[in-house]
Amino acid sequence: MLRFKHIKFAYIAGGKVYSVTTDKTVENQRVKLTVTNENGVISASVSSVTPIELLRLSAEFEYDFKSVSRVYLNGYQSWTDSIEHPINGRLHGVDHIPKPIADKYAFSQYGDYTFTKYSLKKGVMHGFSYGYIRNYDVYDFIGSLNEDSGFTTIRTDCAAGRVLAFKECSELHITDSFEGLKLYIGRGSEEEVFDKWFGLMGMEKRDIPRIQGYTSWYRHYQDISEEILTKDLEQSDLGAEDIFQIDDGWQTAVGDWLSIDEKKFPNGIKAMTDKMAELGKGKAGLWLAPFVCEEKSELFKNHKDWLLKDKNGKVVKGGSNWSGFYALDIYNEGFRAYLKEVFDTIINKWGFNRLLKLDFLYAACIVPRSDKTRGMVMADAMKLLRELAGKVEILGCGMPLASAFGRVEYCRVGCDVSLDWDDKPYMKLMHRERPSTRNCILNSVFRRQLDGRAFGCDPDVYLLRDTETTMTSAQRRCLAEINALTGSVWFTSDNAEDYGDDQKKMYENASALFGCKVISAELKGKELVLQILHDGKKELRSYELKDIPELPVKKLMP
C-alpha cells in the first residue's frame, strides 16, 4: 500500500524563498497550507493574504516494491508510449538526439521534454495524472482528482521505495488561493480502483456507443480529392449511420480552415457531404487541428498576433509536421472569433455535423502563463472546443488525457499506427510520440480502463489489407483484435471490396470480439498475453510483438 509520508511546499514572497515539509496543516502571517488525509483522499491546498510565487507542491509516499511489481504511469499525451514497466524500467527522453536534428524537427515540443526531468537511473520513471503498481491482480493506485488546476507528475524511485506526486505550479503567481494537490490513493482490483477514482471525480461508468467507419488518412494521407473520396465512398460498405471521415489534406494549409484546396475539391468540400446524403452512405466527419498553423499558411503570415508566445515573447513552435507549425493563443479574442467562424462554417454550412476529429490539441498548453498552469490552459481550451462544437461529437487527439475526461465523446489513446509495424530502426531513437503500430497497440491495452469511464477510447484504425504495408498477417490480426477488444472506435482506411478470403476471415474473427472484456494484460518480454472474457468463458490470447524483417511492399494496382 502507498503510505503517505509528507508534503513539501515552497514559495517566494517579498523576494525571499520559504519552504516547509509537513504532514499536517501549517500557516504563518502570509500563507496557509491546508493538508488533509481522509478516506483515501490526500489534499494540500494553499491560501495567501499576499501575492506569492509558487515553486513546489509535492507529496511523498513510501512503497515496498517487489520483484514481481509492475509499474504503470500514464504518459503525457495521447501519443506518448504508456505501458507497464518492471521495477528496473527506464524511460528515454530526447537528450540523446543530436541538437541540430532535435532543433530541426522540434521533437521536444510533442511531449513533456521541456518541463520534465528524465532520469537514466533504473526504476526512476514518471507519468501524469494517474498510475498504479500492480502485484499480480492487486492494484495500488494513485490518481489526481483535480488536473484542471494543474497537471500532476507522478514519479517512482523503485530502488529507494519512494513515489512522489508533483503538482504543476512552478512560477505560478497567486494572490488568494490555489487548489493544489488532491490525490486518491487506493488498493484493490482493477475494477475497484478505477471505479472509485472516476466516482470521486463524479464520472460513473457508462455505455458509450461504438462508432464505426472509414477515414481517408491511412489510405491516401494528404493526397485526397473529391474524385478519390467519391470513389472510396461509392466502393465502401458503409451503412447510413457509419462515419465517413475526411482527414488532413482538404485545406490549402493547416490553419487556413476556411480555404478549401480548389484543385482537389473544385466543387467545394460540401460536395462530399452532399454525396454522402445522396448515396445514403456514412455520416460526415472531418479532421482539423484547431490550435496550430503551419508556417506556409496565410494565418501565420497575416496574424502574427494570434501566435502563442513564451514568457520571453518568442513564438512557440509546435513541431515539424507539414512546413513546420506553431501554436496559437486560445486567449486571443481575434483568434477565438476566427475559430467560432470556422466551426460554424464546418458544421452548419458544409454539413460536417456528426464527428469532428480535433488533433494536435497539446499545442494549446505547451507553455504555462504566470496566472495559469498548463492544466488550467488545457481545461480552458477544451471548454472552448466543447462550446464551439455544440452537439457534434468530438474525437480528441494528441492531448493530455485528463483534460478530455468528460469533455469529449471519444479520444485517441495511442500514437498513430503505421503501414510498418514499429517504424524504421533510427526512428525508435526519437521521441516517445512517434508513429508505431506496436506502440499504439500497447497503449490501447494499458489505457483500456478509460474506455466507458473517461470517454470512448479510440485505438486508431485497423488495417487488414496486404497492400502498401510491410506488416505481416499476424501483426495485422493483432492490430484488429486489440482494437476490437479495447476501444469504442472501429475505423479503417481499407476498402473492404479489396479483401480476399484471409482478410475477410480476420475481420470476422476480430469483430466477434466486440463486447468481450479484457480481464488482465501482461507484457512478457516481447509477448503480450491477455486474459479475456469471451462468451462468458475465460480465454487466453497471446500476441508476438517482436520485430520481423520487413516484407516486400505490395502496391495497389492503379
Side-chain angles (χ1 to χ4, degrees), residues 189 216 277 280 370 470 475:
S189 68
S216 60
S370 63
T470 63
Q475 290 168 343

Side-chain angles (χ1 to χ4, degrees), residues 143-427:
S144 171
L145 298 169
N146 63 345
E147 292 296 81
D148 282 1
S149 67
F151 299 139
T152 304
T153 305
I154 302 166
R155 186 179 295 273
T156 61
D157 186 338
C158 298
R162 293 197 308 165
V163 176
L164 298 167
F166 296 87
K167 191 65 172 182
E168 169 199 10
C169 65
S170 179
E171 300 183 16
L172 178 69
H173 293 254
I174 67 170
T175 56
D176 45 20
S177 63
F178 178 60
E179 189 177 18
L181 281 167
K182 191 175 184 182
L183 303 168
Y184 159 59
I185 308 297
R187 165 175 279 190
S189 68
E190 176 185 308
E191 288 289 312
E192 288 170 340
V193 297
F194 278 94
D195 282 350
K196 179 69 172 179
W197 182 42
F198 277 96
L200 288 169
M201 289 188 288
M203 299 180 208
E204 299 301 324
K205 197 169 184 180
R206 62 199 190 279
D207 290 328
I208 294 177
R210 184 186 301 271
I211 54 173
Q212 301 186 176
Y214 174 89
T215 175
S216 60
W217 183 246
Y218 297 102
R219 189 157 188 93
H220 307 295
Y221 293 96
Q222 286 186 303
D223 297 327
I224 58 174
S225 66
E226 181 180 338
E227 179 182 1
I228 288 170
L229 294 182
T230 298
K231 183 179 178 181
D232 285 356
L233 185 62
E234 291 173 341
Q235 292 181 343
S236 76
D237 59 353
L238 293 177
E241 296 304 314
D242 294 333
I243 294 170
F244 187 84
Q245 182 209 300
I246 300 174
D247 214 285
D248 187 10
W250 56 270
Q251 72 289 345
T252 54
V254 169
D256 296 340
W257 307 116
L258 298 177
S259 177
I260 308 297
D261 189 327
E262 294 180 353
K263 292 181 181 178
K264 296 179 178 181
F265 297 92
N267 298 305
I269 198 74
K270 189 178 185 301
M272 291 308 307
T273 59
D274 290 341
K275 179 61 70 172
M276 291 177 219
E278 176 190 330
L279 296 176
K281 285 188 172 186
K283 298 291 186 181
L286 191 68
W287 171 96
L288 66 154
F291 298 144
V292 301
C293 66
E294 63 176 305
E295 194 164 347
K296 74 173 187 180
S297 67
E298 291 301 312
L299 188 153
F300 180 81
K301 295 174 186 174
N302 300 326
H303 294 285
K304 291 291 197 301
D305 56 316
W306 293 2
L307 299 177
L308 182 64
K309 298 175 180 64
D310 63 20
K311 62 183 180 181
N312 298 315
K314 185 178 179 181
V315 293
V316 176
K317 198 160 190 178
S320 58
N321 299 63
W322 309 292
S323 57
F325 68 97
Y326 291 83
L328 292 158
D329 182 0
I330 67 162
Y331 298 105
N332 181 283
E333 290 302 323
F335 173 58
R336 291 172 77 96
Y338 168 68
L339 271 191
K340 184 176 182 179
E341 182 183 4
V342 167
F343 276 73
D344 179 63
T345 300
I346 288 172
I347 295 168
N348 298 315
K349 296 179 181 178
W350 296 346
F352 290 92
N353 53 19
R354 177 62 176 85
L355 181 77
L356 295 177
K357 178 182 174 183
L358 306 180
D359 210 348
F360 292 83
L361 299 184
Y362 69 88
C365 67
I366 290 177
V367 295
R369 297 159 56 103
S370 63
D371 62 338
K372 288 182 182 286
T373 64
R374 287 182 181 83
M376 293 175 184
V377 173
M378 200 68 231
D380 287 346
M382 296 312 297
K383 290 172 186 174
L384 172 63
L385 294 181
R386 187 72 272 170
E387 178 185 331
L388 294 174
K391 295 181 179 179
V392 179
E393 293 183 341
I394 294 175
L395 195 168
C397 190
M399 65 173 298
L401 292 188
S403 302
F405 288 4
R407 292 195 174 108
V408 302
E409 287 75 18
Y410 304 93
C411 191
R412 176 76 71 79
V413 292
C415 57
D416 279 14
V417 302
S418 171
L419 299 181
D420 303 316
W421 177 242
D422 194 23
D423 219 323
K424 309 301 181 195
Y426 64 86
M427 284 302 295

